[in-house]
């Protein structure tokens, strides 16, 4: 089962930038625990393919979630949902 099947696809009729749409989808999935704490987020390349956007768009969305404290990056290991969501 892919992440798009779990959290939903981007809305074609939404005027918001794609990275903001992706950021909102991932944020909502983390807050509602569709994606569990400490779960690995798929690599940028896989997310880009699943959502039909560029890797740069995925990177910008993830960067925003890292700044919010929802996601952490571990060098050499990957990107993970934060164990404790900082608000």
């Amino acid at each position: 089962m892919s992440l798009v099947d779990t959290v939903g696809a981007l809305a074609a009729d939404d005027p918001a930038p794609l990275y903001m749409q992706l950021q909102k989808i991932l944020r909502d999935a983390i807050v509602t625990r569709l994606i569990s704490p400490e779960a690995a987020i798929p690599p940028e390349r896989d997310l880009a393919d699943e959502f039909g956007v560029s890797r740069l768009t995925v990177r910008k969305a993830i960067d925003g979630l890292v700044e919010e404290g929802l996601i952490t990056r571990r060098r050499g290991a990957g990107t993970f949902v934060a164990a404790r969501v900082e608000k």
Side-chain angles (χ1 to χ4, degrees), residues 4 12 14 20-21 25 29 32 37 41 49 58 62 71 73-74 77:
V4 172
D14 190 339
M20 291 181 79
Q21 290 182 47
I25 287 172
T32 61
I41 301 293
D49 290 344
V58 172
I62 290 176
I71 290 179
R73 284 193 170 112
R74 298 182 198 154

Side-chain angles (χ1 to χ4, degrees), residues 4-75:
V4 172
D5 295 334
T6 304
V7 300
L10 299 175
D13 59 346
D14 190 339
L18 293 175
Y19 81 93
M20 291 181 79
Q21 290 182 47
L22 181 57
Q23 206 172 52
K24 181 182 180 333
I25 287 172
L26 293 174
R27 182 185 305 110
D28 292 347
I30 292 167
V31 170
T32 61
R33 296 192 181 250
L34 283 174
I35 304 173
S36 59
E38 298 188 15
I41 301 293
E44 290 174 0
R45 179 176 289 126
D46 294 349
L47 286 174
D49 290 344
E50 282 188 46
F51 285 97
V53 295
S54 72
R55 285 181 65 190
L56 185 61
T57 299
V58 172
R59 183 171 295 139
K60 195 167 180 179
I62 290 176
D63 285 346
L65 295 172
V66 168
E67 286 179 24
E68 292 178 32
L70 293 174
I71 290 179
T72 58
R73 284 193 170 112
R74 298 182 198 154
R75 178 160 290 164

